[in-house]
Amino acid sequence: MRRGPLRPDPEAALGLVARTRQVAQIADITAHRLYKERDPVFVAGAEVGGIRTIVAVPMLKGKELIGAITIFRQEVRPFTDKQIALVTNFAAQAVIAIENARLLNELRQRTTDLTEALEQQTGTSEVLKVISSFPGDPQPVFAAMLENAVRICGANFGNIYRWDGGAFNLLAAHNTPAAFVEYRRRSPSILPAPGTAYGHIVATKEAVHVADAMTLEGYVERSKPGLVAAVELGGARTFLFVPMLKEDELLGIFTIFRQEVRPFTDKQIELVKNFAAQAVIAIENARLLNELRESLEQQTATADVLEVISRSAFDLQAVFETVAESSVRLCGADRAFIFRFDGELLRMVVAHNASPEFAEWVANHPIRPGRHSGSARAALEHRTIHIPDVLADPEYVYGAKDVEPIRTILGVPILKGDDLLGVMMIYRLEVRPFTDKQIALVETFADQAAIAIENVRLLEELRRRTEQVEAQSHELVKLNQQLEQRVADQVGEIERMGRLRRFLPPQVADLIVASGTEKQLESHRREITALFCDLRGFTGFSESSDPEDVMALLRDYHAAIGETIIKYSGTLERYAGDGVMVVFNDPVPVEKPALQAVLMALEMRDVIGALTDKWRRLGHDIGFGIGIAHGFATLGTIGFEGRFDYAAIGTVSNVASRLCDEAKPGQILISPRVFMAVEDAVTVEPVGEFTLKGIRRPLLAYNVLAAISQKVE
């Protein structure tokens, strides 16, 4: 059997179908010109397949040819019209099946897209919640990120690596095969060698997406041991490496792997990039908090200072006063001063144990960095200055010695890296140098003062960043809730639309859905026009015909009247076999419902008349009759959960059905009330009185002949 595209000769059966969009039959292909000219397809069909008679039926969607059905006989015996009609019916069913499959696939794709979007939003929300819950510990954040990324992206496992400037080190792993984990444990540092994904990211800071690792040169030539281990120990085939960047600085790599060849989609890649950005936030938060914790740990040297710093995180003055007091007390000094540097001058912020007059003098004389005093020299040189006796130091000319008898001084700069924040100064009124331990203690206090200053800055920055993260998290939760509600509303609307379209015209169903309520479908009483129609002779036809022929006739019949019902805004109350009942003026009001029903009946008679002519040519003696009545009925949905119908209960329904029973082929019998409503728009003929089953008195009926005007005023 030939597979793949087929371009048939224009005179072949399929060529004729493609050219004419009509059924093509070749009674004997060996008598065909193409066979006589030894066309390969004809020769193979006849001599290999034994084909003699062939018929090809087009599969049409409107005027568009979407395929064909071909059947063969291995003898010269043309197919009959009935057989061709049956295949034509099958072709129509195939077109319907193809279109249904297309629509279903579109619906599934939309549902999948919405589900993926919801999963991604939920995953991101979960990660943000973990970041808020563990601001100083990135490991739970990494675990949540990897779990969500692997699950949402349909991967098998994932890892996060930290870049230290020279190598990558494993930070976290999720579902990574044990053999591959053991390999990484033995070789924890990964060098970014050229020709590897790690090297590419270091060089370009761009993501790496590999569809099949087994096709890479490093694996084929086994020149990259890490790649070989990932494939053979981890089962990795498709993988995605995304750089974790702080601005343009590389902090690490976020990786996920599939153990099959199945590239990641653009949406999945963007999701992993988002997780990588969140990982950077978690690392940076942890860094800031760890700096804070290290600062607090350094302050344990002196319990008093630690206590003040912990109690006065935003009160530098309290910290400075405690540090000054502790320095004087623990180092046996007489006075202590703390200066803050404003970029130009040292200005006093604390004076401990100094007289008010001397403190005021120092405050009024800010110090410029230089050689003239101990604090000025410490600020200038960014190092500790110890002067055992200022009177013996020729460079010391600070005027304070003339105000108070200063002798031994110790000045320690308060530094953050190379940045000068201030100076701590203690002194004695006697010549008594400070010991190395005392100097180290004051240096520790200076470090603690620097830490306190930095803590205030970091805590303020951390507070602002935490508020930003919480605001983002709240916004994301709100967006997720809105998305969930939109999905639920859309699904509910689709379900309602499908339920309503089973018995209402599309425009009526759309109107009810748009109104947001199905109150119109609740049980109620209303004046309506009921139309009942069926086929004459259908029972005998169905008993004597093949089921396939019966189904084909019903399909044509229902299609014809269905289009007419929709055109005239009728509500399909029920259909059972050949019997169909339609109501007008409910659930949506219709102006002049009786006239609308009669005009629809006239068009139905014309449409079905064409079909009955066709059926008679096929040997089926089938006619068509209609009954129409007008009156009050109780209407609403009936049935059970999962299967509801819209029904009209009342005498008007029975009268329409009984008139239909009495109608001869081609007749449209209407009740007196219908006649009174339409007598100016149609021509009729009386057909006498009928005694109808279930109706107490005989009923005068009229047969509608034609419409005076087809327009409904």
Side-chain angles (χ1 to χ4, degrees):
M1 178 181 293
R2 177 169 179 166
R3 298 182 182 275
L6 178 64
R7 293 182 176 82
D9 188 280
E11 294 186 18
L14 288 177
L16 290 170
V17 166
R19 183 157 49 87
T20 66
R21 305 292 194 272
Q22 295 180 354
V23 175
Q25 179 169 213
I26 299 175
D28 184 358
I29 69 171
T30 61
H32 198 278
R33 176 184 63 80
L34 292 174
Y35 177 79
K36 294 177 180 179
E37 292 177 359
R38 305 303 289 172
D39 178 84
V41 175
F42 268 65
V43 171
E47 298 179 3
V48 178
I51 297 172
R52 296 299 296 276
T53 297
I54 179 173
V55 66
V57 178
M59 295 163 55
L60 298 173
K61 178 186 174 185
K63 295 182 179 180
E64 178 188 0
L65 179 67
I66 63 173
I69 296 178
T70 59
I71 59 175
F72 312 90
R73 281 181 174 151
Q74 292 178 318
E75 61 179 331
V76 177
R77 184 159 57 92
F79 294 93
T80 67
D81 291 343
K82 282 189 177 182
Q83 293 168 335
I84 292 174
L86 178 61
V87 177
T88 302
N89 184 38
F90 287 150
Q93 292 175 345
V95 171
I96 293 172
I98 292 171
E99 182 66 9
N100 286 347
R102 183 187 66 79
L103 293 173
L104 181 59
N105 288 335
E106 287 182 1
L107 178 60
R108 286 174 176 166
Q109 185 59 48
R110 288 184 61 191
T111 303
T112 299
D113 290 343
L114 288 172
T115 302
E116 287 180 356
L118 182 59
E119 282 187 346
Q120 292 177 5
Q121 295 284 354
T122 302
T124 303
S125 175
E126 290 175 356
V127 170
L128 287 176
K129 289 179 181 178
V130 175
I131 290 176
S132 300
S133 302
F134 301 93
D137 183 6
Q139 288 304 126
V141 180
F142 296 153
M145 288 178 180
L146 284 173
E147 189 277 329
N148 278 284
V150 168
R151 173 175 54 80
I152 296 174
C153 296
N156 296 103
F157 63 93
N159 300 320
I160 295 178
Y161 296 92
R162 184 68 188 271
W163 171 246
D164 63 9
F168 290 99
N169 296 283
L170 184 65
L171 277 183
H174 176 74
N175 209 33
T176 305
F180 190 39
V181 172
E182 177 61 22
Y183 172 82
R184 282 294 175 222
R185 188 188 64 78
R186 295 195 303 269
S187 304
S189 295
I190 304 174
L191 299 177
T196 65
Y198 302 97
H200 178 83
I201 285 183
V202 170
T204 66
K205 296 183 177 61
E206 295 179 351
V208 176
H209 183 202
V210 174
D212 188 358
M214 293 183 70
T215 64
L216 296 178
E217 181 180 341
Y219 177 78
V220 175
E221 297 182 357
R222 306 188 75 77
S223 58
K224 308 297 181 187
L227 177 60
V228 174
V231 174
E232 298 183 356
L233 299 179
R237 296 297 297 274
T238 295
F239 63 78
L240 174 65
F241 282 29
V242 174
M244 294 156 49
L245 299 173
K246 179 189 174 186
E247 296 179 349
D248 199 42
E249 178 188 359
L250 181 64
L251 300 184
I253 295 180
F254 198 113
T255 68
I256 58 174
F257 300 83
R258 281 179 174 153
Q259 293 173 321
E260 60 177 329
V261 177
R262 184 160 56 92
F264 295 97
T265 65
D266 291 341
K267 286 185 178 180
Q268 292 168 339
I269 293 173
E270 285 303 315
L271 177 64
V272 176
K273 287 181 178 179
N274 186 38
F275 282 141
Q278 292 176 345
V280 171
I281 294 173
I283 291 173
E284 186 65 8
N285 284 350
R287 182 189 68 78
L288 291 172
L289 285 173
N290 288 335
E291 286 182 4
L292 175 62
R293 287 169 181 162
E294 289 174 1
S295 299
L296 293 175
E297 289 174 358
Q298 291 173 4
Q299 294 176 33
T300 57
T302 305
D304 291 342
V305 176
L306 244 187
E307 182 181 357
V308 172
I309 291 176
S310 63
R311 283 190 292 105
S312 309
F314 291 96
D315 186 2
L316 284 175
Q317 193 65 26
V319 176
F320 291 156
E321 290 175 354
T322 302
V323 167
E325 186 277 330
S326 298
S327 299
V328 168
R329 176 170 50 83
L330 296 175
C331 294
D334 295 301
R335 312 276 190 267
F337 289 89
I338 295 180
F339 302 88
R340 288 293 303 272
F341 184 59
D342 64 6
E344 183 178 357
L345 299 171
L346 292 171
R347 299 185 182 277
M348 187 197 78
V349 293
V350 167
H352 178 73
N353 210 32
S355 67
E357 296 79 12
F358 186 47
E360 183 180 359
W361 187 93
V362 174
N364 292 332
H365 293 81
I367 302 170
R368 189 178 302 276
R371 304 288 304 172
H372 61 284
S373 75
S375 56
R377 204 176 298 175
L380 177 67
E381 299 182 10
H382 286 199
R383 67 179 182 88
T384 299
I385 300 298
H386 184 208
I387 302 177
D389 187 357
V390 299
L391 298 180
D393 188 331
E395 294 184 298
Y396 191 91
V397 295
Y398 184 45
K401 70 178 181 178
D402 299 326
V403 180
E404 188 166 70
I406 300 171
R407 298 300 300 270
T408 298
I409 64 172
L410 176 65
V412 178
I414 302 173
L415 301 171
K416 180 195 173 189
D418 291 332
D419 296 332
L420 179 66
L421 304 179
V423 173
M424 278 191 62
M425 176 65 66
I426 63 173
Y427 63 88
R428 289 175 175 151
L429 300 177
E430 61 179 335
V431 177
R432 184 159 56 93
F434 294 98
T435 67
D436 291 342
K437 285 187 177 181
Q438 291 169 336
I439 294 172
L441 180 60
V442 176
E443 289 176 340
T444 298
F445 286 148
D447 290 340
Q448 291 171 343
I451 290 169
I453 294 171
E454 181 66 4
N455 281 351
V456 170
R457 185 188 69 79
L458 288 175
L459 285 170
E460 183 63 27
E461 180 181 337
L462 180 62
R463 182 185 61 79
R464 289 196 302 269
R465 296 195 60 175
T466 301
E467 289 175 353
Q468 292 174 357
V469 171
E470 289 177 350
Q472 292 173 354
S473 177
H474 293 155
E475 182 65 21
L476 191 57
V477 169
K478 182 179 178 181
L479 290 174
N480 283 340
Q481 292 173 345
Q482 292 174 349
L483 179 60
E484 290 173 356
Q485 185 59 47
R486 287 179 60 189
V487 171
D489 292 345
Q490 290 176 1
V491 170
E493 186 170 322
I494 290 172
E495 290 177 348
R496 291 176 62 214
M497 181 65 75
R499 185 170 64 250
L500 293 174
R501 282 178 178 267
R502 286 191 294 106
F503 51 78
L504 297 179
Q507 63 271 27
V508 177
D510 293 342
L511 178 63
I512 292 176
V513 171
S515 70
T517 177
E518 296 182 16
K519 188 174 181 63
Q520 300 98 318
L521 304 182
E522 295 177 358
S523 180
H524 59 281
R525 186 166 178 79
R526 178 171 290 174
E527 188 175 8
I528 65 169
T529 299
L531 179 151
F532 200 95
C533 62
D534 65 7
L535 297 175
R536 314 284 103 122
F538 177 76
T539 302
F541 164 74
S542 61
E543 291 175 351
S544 61
S545 300
D546 293 335
E548 292 82 2
D549 291 338
V550 175
M551 292 298 293
L553 184 145
L554 283 177
R555 190 173 295 106
D556 292 342
Y557 171 63
H558 288 155
I561 63 174
E563 292 180 1
T564 310
I565 292 170
I566 293 173
K567 175 180 176 181
Y568 284 87
S569 301
T571 299
L572 179 63
E573 195 266 359
R574 78 172 80 97
Y575 64 88
D578 61 321
V580 176
M581 179 172 171
V582 183
V583 299
F584 290 86
N585 203 39
D586 193 82
V588 177
V590 175
E591 186 178 0
K592 299 182 179 179
L595 181 57
Q596 193 84 336
V598 170
L599 293 178
M600 184 185 80
L602 288 169
E603 184 166 328
M604 274 187 174
R605 184 170 65 185
D606 293 340
V607 171
I608 302 304
L611 286 178
T612 56
D613 289 342
K614 170 186 170 183
W615 296 333
R616 288 192 185 97
R617 290 196 300 271
L618 295 174
H620 309 314
D621 186 15
I622 295 177
F624 178 64
I626 301 175
I628 305 175
H630 188 86
F632 281 90
T634 300
L635 303 102
T637 53
I638 61 172
F640 54 88
E641 190 63 36
R643 179 66 170 112
F644 285 99
D645 285 318
Y646 196 68
I649 308 299
T651 302
V652 64
S653 300
N654 294 334
V655 171
S657 176
R658 300 295 181 251
L659 287 175
C660 178
D661 292 341
E662 298 294 338
K664 297 176 182 179
Q667 281 190 330
I668 302 173
L669 297 187
I670 61 175
S671 68
R673 292 191 65 182
V674 175
F675 171 69
M676 292 174 64
V678 303
E679 60 181 330
D680 294 333
V682 298
T683 58
V684 302
E685 63 177 2
V687 293
E689 292 184 340
F690 293 98
T691 301
L692 304 179
K693 182 179 179 181
I695 307 301
R696 288 177 296 176
R697 290 180 296 179
L699 183 72
L700 179 63
Y702 301 86
N703 177 36
V704 179
L705 301 177
I708 297 174
S709 173
Q710 293 294 327
K711 181 178 180 181
V712 180
E713 299 297 337

